[in-house]
Amino acid sequence: MAAGGGSNYWEDLRKQARQLENELDLKLVSFSKLCTSYSHSSAREGRRDRYSSDTTPLLNGSSQDRMFETMAVEIEQLLGRLTGINDKMAEYANSAGVPSLNAALMHTLQRHRDILQDYTHEFHKTKANFLAIRERENLLGSVRKDIESYKSGSGVNNRRTELFLKEHEHLRNSDRLIEETISIAMATKENMTSQRGMLKSLQSKMNTFANRFPAVNNLIQRINLRKRRDSLILGGVIGICTILLLLYAFH
């Protein structure tokens, strides 16, 4: 592979990778918002169930389920395409025709692999959270239907049922607050991990720079030694001149 053609091929692969990464970033943000809105809409739907009939269709939930399936397939396809691009970049970086820039290419490839790994982890985590919320809401919906069936069968809105429903609502609110707290803690942990990785990468680059250019360090040390020597000589000359002036003045 020619040098010019190889460079263009590598830049084309990087362009494709960045484009896929941008698309994945937008898709994952929308995917996360969908999971959050599903949880909130399910809570609102649960409150409306108390005053509506059991035969009312949950169109919003069904629409969000279809949207979830569609977005999940699209994100999986994007992840697959990005994995293929990374594989091509790895094949190019390991090829025999690549000159001494191989280390820089491998560093760039590793950065794209880390981004792919982060996006894959975030997708699977969000997908698992969505499925868990949907399964929990289905179970709670079944419980609500049983409660409504019991109320309609007895024909009496007794005090015990009302207390039970209130307690159930309190438990749901507590569960929601705990989930939000856990989500904030997980996000904080991921941000700290990301910052630690960036600091490690910066330190590694500084060490590489210092090892690659040792002559710069030697030159700086020589300049400092010369400045110190010049300062000593200048101080000595000033001292001698001062002494001679004093001797001349007193004689």
Side-chain angles (χ1 to χ4, degrees), residues 132-179:
I133 292 173
R134 187 171 65 179
E135 181 179 1
R136 186 190 63 191
E137 292 300 326
N138 290 337
L139 292 175
L140 292 175
S142 177
V143 172
R144 285 195 296 267
K145 288 182 179 180
D146 291 341
I147 294 173
E148 293 296 331
S149 177
Y150 170 77
K151 288 171 61 179
S152 60
S154 62
V156 179
N157 241 345
N158 55 40
R159 179 65 176 170
R160 179 177 300 177
T161 302
E162 293 179 359
L163 292 175
F164 176 78
L165 291 175
K166 289 182 179 180
E167 186 65 23
H168 176 67
E169 185 67 20
H170 289 326
L171 291 175
R172 281 172 53 83
N173 292 334
S174 299
D175 185 47
R176 179 176 57 82
L177 291 175
I178 292 174
E179 286 185 352

Side-chain angles (χ1 to χ4, degrees), residues 27 29-38 59-75 123 127 130 134:
K27 289 286 186 182
V29 171
S30 300
F31 198 58
S32 178
K33 290 181 179 179
L34 175 64
C35 180
T36 304
S37 63
Y38 183 89
L59 295 179
N60 190 30
S62 300
S63 175
Q64 286 180 323
D65 288 342
R66 290 193 297 269
M67 189 180 300
F68 165 77
E69 298 295 339
T70 301
M71 292 185 67
V73 171
E74 292 176 353
I75 292 175
F123 167 66
K127 182 178 180 181
F130 185 97
R134 187 171 65 179

Side-chain angles (χ1 to χ4, degrees), residues 91-157:
E91 182 180 355
Y92 173 79
N94 293 323
S95 62
V98 179
S100 59
L101 294 176
N102 188 46
L105 298 182
M106 293 300 296
H107 176 74
T108 302
L109 173 61
Q110 184 60 42
R111 184 166 59 85
H112 286 289
R113 283 177 171 173
D114 292 339
I115 294 174
L116 173 61
Q117 184 178 4
D118 292 340
Y119 284 162
T120 303
H121 173 72
E122 182 178 353
F123 167 66
H124 289 302
K125 183 181 69 173
T126 305
K127 182 178 180 181
N129 290 338
F130 185 97
L131 294 176
I133 292 173
R134 187 171 65 179
E135 181 179 1
R136 186 190 63 191
E137 292 300 326
N138 290 337
L139 292 175
L140 292 175
S142 177
V143 172
R144 285 195 296 267
K145 288 182 179 180
D146 291 341
I147 294 173
E148 293 296 331
S149 177
Y150 170 77
K151 288 171 61 179
S152 60
S154 62
V156 179
N157 241 345

Side-chain angles (χ1 to χ4, degrees), residues 19-73:
Q19 181 178 359
L20 289 173
E21 289 167 358
N22 292 333
E23 293 182 17
L24 275 169
D25 185 62
L26 296 175
K27 289 286 186 182
L28 288 172
V29 171
S30 300
F31 198 58
S32 178
K33 290 181 179 179
L34 175 64
C35 180
T36 304
S37 63
Y38 183 89
S39 176
H40 292 169
S41 63
S42 298
R44 291 192 297 268
E45 196 66 41
R47 287 192 292 269
R48 287 196 296 266
D49 282 347
R50 298 182 184 180
Y51 309 102
S52 62
S53 171
D54 290 339
T55 60
T56 303
L58 302 179
L59 295 179
N60 190 30
S62 300
S63 175
Q64 286 180 323
D65 288 342
R66 290 193 297 269
M67 189 180 300
F68 165 77
E69 298 295 339
T70 301
M71 292 185 67
V73 171

